[in-house]
Amino acid sequence: STGDSAFQAKAHQAMSERIRGHGTWVVATHAPKMAAEFCTRGIVLQHGRICAQGSMEELERAGVAF
């Protein structure tokens, strides 16, 4: 991850406030923990092609690598 812990906490709080109750967001990340926290559904790409999609719980149960 990028930045010191104070910066990360501030960024996390800002993202939480913006996402709460605001419909659809598109998030591109290599951080599965963050995706699982903020997203309800995911699409996993490999070499520009969809290799998996579903709820975050389904992707986790299937062992999909981010």
Side-chain angles (χ1 to χ4, degrees):
S1 55
T2 304
D4 62 24
S5 60
F7 172 81
Q8 289 178 15
K10 184 177 177 181
H12 182 274
Q13 179 65 29
M15 190 166 181
S16 293
E17 290 171 2
R18 285 180 179 86
I19 289 175
R20 207 171 294 124
H22 285 89
T24 302
W25 283 70
V26 176
V27 177
T29 185
H30 291 273
K33 185 177 178 182
M34 195 248 344
E37 181 175 350
F38 291 113
C39 303
T40 56
R41 296 193 55 79
I43 298 173
V44 180
L45 303 175
Q46 287 185 342
H47 306 290
R49 297 184 185 268
I50 296 173
C51 67
Q53 61 182 314
S55 72
M56 297 308 291
E57 294 83 12
E58 291 170 333
L59 294 174
E60 186 177 343
R61 278 194 307 269
V64 174
F66 285 77

